[in-house]
Amino acid sequence: MQLVKKFCAEFIGTFVLVLVACGTATVLGCSSEPNAAYVLTALAFGLVIVAMAYSIGNVSGCHITPAVSLGVLINGGMTVTEFIVYIIAQFAGATAGAAVLGGLVGFDTSLGANGLFEGSAVKSLIVECILTFIFVLVILSVTSKKKYEKWAGLIIGFTLTLVHIFGIYFTGTSVNPARSFGPAIFKGGDALSALWVFFVGPLVGAAIAAIVFKLLIKTEED
């Protein structure tokens, strides 16, 4: 029963992330141009995390991205079975969120889909790897320390805002394979063909963050 609750929590969290945050990017016409839409989109992603962290966080930990779940798995914070359930819930939630968004604003809109920076898979992989490394390292660090417990949701939300402020210019910022998957399967074309970049980059970045945390930060805590 507890695993079902976690599935539902992760589904809801990822659904809200894609619908509201990707929806904000869509309706405001966010692009790589530095303007109000750019900043508001970054804030939308961060604020969704804050809202979800303080609502579903006590149920599932509010991962709502396979990258975070991978980092937690590597550090022994969840079982393989839980990891699989989380991944399924996240991809299902992202797909549902993108479907509802498309139904509201039209599937011919951007849907907040990610794209390659200057058409380069290598540059985009590097950007996504670094951004996810930062995001996951912060999450693992603040959630491991009891003194940050009350503020963890805010810290994580602001960190996601930060990586979006930097990353939107390059790739639209993914750091979340599920978030990229939902819009891409409805957009097709370039968004779908480049989807592997937004799987590999975030997962590699998350794995590196988990290893750095285990060897450096977690050791100090011990």
Side-chain angles (χ1 to χ4, degrees):
M1 185 62 184
Q2 191 60 34
L3 203 53
V4 173
K5 289 182 178 179
K6 290 181 178 181
F7 176 94
C8 293
E10 287 297 303
F11 178 94
I12 291 169
T14 318
F15 172 86
V16 173
L17 180 73
V18 172
L19 176 61
V20 177
C22 290
T24 298
T26 302
V27 300
L28 294 180
C30 180
S31 67
S32 61
E33 293 297 319
N35 53 31
Y38 188 114
V39 176
L40 289 173
T41 297
L43 282 171
F45 276 94
L47 290 174
V48 166
I49 292 298
V50 173
M52 292 298 99
Y54 290 108
S55 55
I56 66 169
N58 63 326
V59 179
S60 68
C62 188
H63 295 187
I64 62 179
T65 165
V68 171
S69 296
L70 178 62
V72 174
L73 176 69
I74 291 173
N75 276 279
M78 66 191 311
T79 66
V80 173
T81 299
E82 287 176 321
F83 176 73
I84 293 171
V85 169
Y86 273 52
I87 298 302
I88 294 172
Q90 290 157 3
F91 276 92
T95 303
V100 172
L101 178 59
L104 291 173
V105 300
F107 291 98
D108 57 342
T109 58
S110 73
L111 298 181
N114 296 111
L116 299 180
F117 176 58
E118 296 181 342
S120 172
V122 173
K123 289 182 179 180
S124 301
L125 276 169
I126 292 171
V127 169
E128 287 296 325
C129 184
I130 293 172
L131 295 180
T132 311
F133 169 82
I134 296 169
F135 184 51
V136 174
L137 185 64
V138 169
I139 290 174
L140 294 176
S141 298
V142 300
T143 56
S144 70
K145 300 170 184 175
K146 198 166 185 64
K147 63 181 178 179
Y148 294 139
E149 189 174 309
K150 291 182 180 180
W151 305 103
L154 286 172
I155 295 169
I156 294 167
F158 280 126
T159 302
L160 188 60
T161 300
L162 172 66
V163 299
H164 272 80
I165 288 173
F166 177 77
I168 288 173
Y169 173 80
F170 297 96
T171 61
T173 308
S174 172
V175 303
N176 185 341
R179 166 262 185 273
S180 296
F181 177 81
I185 61 170
F186 291 105
K187 290 300 298 178
D190 292 340
L192 192 58
S193 63
L195 187 58
W196 69 272
V197 171
F198 303 103
F199 277 46
V200 176
L203 293 178
V204 170
I208 295 172
I211 294 169
V212 169
F213 172 76
K214 182 180 289 189
L215 296 178
L216 183 63
I217 302 171
K218 194 175 183 178
T219 300
E220 290 184 350
E221 289 295 307
D222 296 338

